[in-house]
Amino acid sequence: MEQAGQRREPHWLVQKRLEALESFGKLPLPESRYTKIRGLELGEFSLVPRSPTGAKAGDFASTREAVHIQIDGEVLTTQVPEPLRAKGILFCDLATAVREHPDLVQQYLFRIVSPHEDKMAALVGALAHNGIFIYIPKETVLEEPLRLVYLLDEPGVAALAHQIVVVERHSRVTLIEESYAKHPQASGAHLYAAISEVYVGDGAQVQFGALQNWNEGTFSFVRRRAQVGRDAKLQWTMGWLGGRLTMSAVESRLVGPGAEMEDIQVLFGCHAQHFDLTSALRNMAPHVKGEIHMKGVMKDQARAVMYGFIRVEREAQQSNSYQLAQGLLLNDGAHCDAIPGLEIEANDVRATHGASIGPIDEEQIFYLQSRGLEREQAKRTIVEGFLTPTLEQIPIAGVRERFHAFVEQKWDE
């Protein structure tokens, strides 16, 4: 809390940090029935971010785009082209937002995500002074995406971030979040923990694309939650490729009549990676619609668990919900679990789910080999056919293309 004093944060924020710090000492790690956290020693990580060294903003972005870049939890740059400034948007790091727009930050910070949900959320609540604050005024349409880039460089540093995205009514925006290891093959443990709060106003449209490719020494914990208003639309698109242990929890709350949500998540795991991915949908108003699509490919000794959960509140009559989870196992050592869940309080709804996990089909491999393909080429072709229908639903071309490129790299690892 000494850092908070040095930054001269307002009293209300310091109080929230103190409460989160107290919870950090009491709460357990976010383990689940299928995920036990092993090898993570929080005491080995420095909780004081180090200033980025030897890095330039031009290495990761052009001067013509709106981009926020963090390295090991510290801000390298946040830049906004003048045409966007003229539209009245706010796109600044969280510390600047607290200093220059305290009332607005106080209105939304920890409104839908509590720092008391688990130990990693409490850690972010207590110590994450960086991240991004985005505010899009009403009836504002942004044609170009806003980029968020998070890089891990030095082992032994806890990189923390808190994102707040507020999109007022009848506005439209695309966000692309990229999370990479600066040195993909480097050894040493990394820790990344983040919270995202997304507020989608009535009639607004938000596309949120995220692509993660940490190195295999990284423990990653991300909690994202969105509140979607009347006749608004939210689309999550997430690609998971890196990390030693990746735990992600996404929740979409459809609070306004006619709200819509789609969550598309794809993952490719290899070696001894472990992924624990949750997508939860809460229908809280009538005539809402939500879909969850999760698809994973596992090879070597990689493991994944995909939770899909839909809750239909009593008020959400005539809502429509669907969830699908599918896993493809490339060898005997790989493992994947798909766990759907439904809780329905209303009596006039449609809520369905599907789940399937299985090994790659040897007959398909044999057929493709009979057509002249080598066995490895045949497996790649089958995997591409498995992923393509889901990837084609991704509306953000950059996320779709980079995921393909990273999958190609992982085949050769």
Side-chain angles (χ1 to χ4, degrees), residues 292-411:
I292 299 169
H293 299 264
M294 306 177 79
K295 189 169 283 193
V297 177
M298 313 306 290
K299 67 190 288 274
D300 304 326
Q301 289 76 47
R303 303 178 70 85
V305 54
M306 299 181 289
Y307 300 91
F309 179 74
I310 297 173
R311 177 172 174 79
V312 182
E313 304 287 355
R314 189 169 301 174
E315 299 79 12
Q317 299 292 351
Q318 297 186 339
S319 63
N320 188 341
S321 308
Y322 175 70
Q323 59 174 307
L324 175 66
Q326 295 175 301
L328 182 64
L329 310 178
L330 302 188
N331 53 265
D332 289 341
H335 187 83
C336 185
D337 293 288
I339 305 171
L342 295 173
E343 286 186 8
I344 302 175
E345 296 289 337
N347 59 13
D348 183 13
V349 302
R350 181 178 181 271
T352 58
H353 64 80
S356 63
I357 305 293
I360 195 165
D361 192 326
E362 287 293 332
E363 290 188 5
Q364 292 181 351
I365 293 176
F366 177 78
Y367 173 80
L368 291 173
Q369 286 182 300
S370 72
R371 298 296 178 180
L373 296 183
E374 298 291 336
R375 180 176 176 84
E376 199 66 14
Q377 290 177 312
K379 289 173 69 174
R380 290 193 186 201
T381 301
I382 294 169
V383 169
E384 184 175 343
F386 175 73
L387 291 176
T388 294
T390 300
L391 293 175
E392 286 181 344
Q393 297 180 57
I394 298 175
I396 306 171
V399 174
R400 188 169 59 243
E401 293 162 2
R402 292 190 187 190
F403 186 86
H404 267 302
F406 284 134
V407 168
E408 286 298 313
Q409 292 177 17
K410 295 196 77 165
W411 273 108

Side-chain angles (χ1 to χ4, degrees), residues 54-291:
K56 299 178 180 178
D59 297 335
F60 311 102
S62 73
T63 58
R64 299 185 301 276
E65 61 182 337
V67 62
H68 170 79
I69 304 173
Q70 284 187 204
I71 300 180
D72 291 337
E74 280 294 282
V75 176
L76 177 64
T77 187
T78 305
Q79 63 182 36
V80 188
E82 186 55 39
L84 289 184
R85 291 182 187 274
K87 291 178 177 286
I89 77 165
L90 299 179
F91 185 82
C92 57
D93 66 84
L94 187 58
T96 299
V98 169
R99 187 172 61 251
E100 298 182 359
H101 310 280
D103 293 340
L104 197 56
V105 175
Q106 185 177 9
Q107 183 179 350
Y108 292 102
L109 184 72
F110 291 123
R111 191 167 119 190
I112 55 174
V113 176
S114 168
H116 311 296
E117 297 187 30
D118 61 54
K119 185 177 285 290
M120 304 313 294
L123 180 63
V124 174
L127 298 178
H129 67 278
N130 280 323
I132 190 71
F133 183 84
I134 301 172
Y135 179 83
I136 311 297
K138 63 181 181 180
E139 300 175 357
T140 300
V141 176
L142 302 185
E143 300 295 345
E144 297 297 321
L146 308 178
R147 283 184 68 205
L148 312 172
V149 181
Y150 297 93
L151 301 164
L152 296 182
D153 184 11
E154 293 290 335
V157 176
L160 310 176
H162 194 146
Q163 299 180 158
I164 301 175
V165 180
V166 182
V167 182
E168 295 286 15
R169 60 184 178 87
H170 301 299
S171 293
R172 190 172 73 227
V173 65
T174 296
L175 307 170
I176 299 180
E177 176 190 301
E178 303 162 57
S179 302
Y180 304 137
K182 192 176 177 187
H183 306 290
Q185 305 304 322
S187 60
H190 295 260
L191 172 63
Y192 178 78
I195 288 174
S196 294
E197 300 181 77
V198 181
Y199 302 88
V200 186
D202 294 349
Q205 297 182 36
V206 175
Q207 292 181 333
F208 193 120
L211 187 59
Q212 184 262 80
N213 195 29
W214 302 131
N215 65 29
E216 292 183 26
T218 302
F219 295 87
S220 177
F221 303 87
V222 179
R223 183 177 295 277
R224 297 183 172 98
R225 189 167 292 149
Q227 178 175 290
V228 186
R230 177 186 289 269
D231 296 324
K233 295 181 180 180
L234 169 66
Q235 186 160 44
W236 302 105
T237 300
M238 300 178 196
W240 306 99
L241 295 121
R244 172 176 172 176
L245 169 66
T246 296
M247 297 194 74
S248 164
V250 177
E251 182 182 26
S252 305
R253 297 178 176 179
L254 307 184
V255 300
E260 296 185 16
M261 183 284 297
E262 184 178 40
D263 182 3
I264 299 172
Q265 301 196 38
V266 288
L267 69 101
F268 191 107
C270 64
H271 304 152
Q273 291 180 285
H274 187 105
F275 297 86
D276 185 302
L277 310 180
T278 298
S279 180
L281 169 64
R282 287 187 62 185
N283 293 341
M284 305 171 69
H287 303 287
V288 299
K289 180 180 179 181
E291 293 190 5

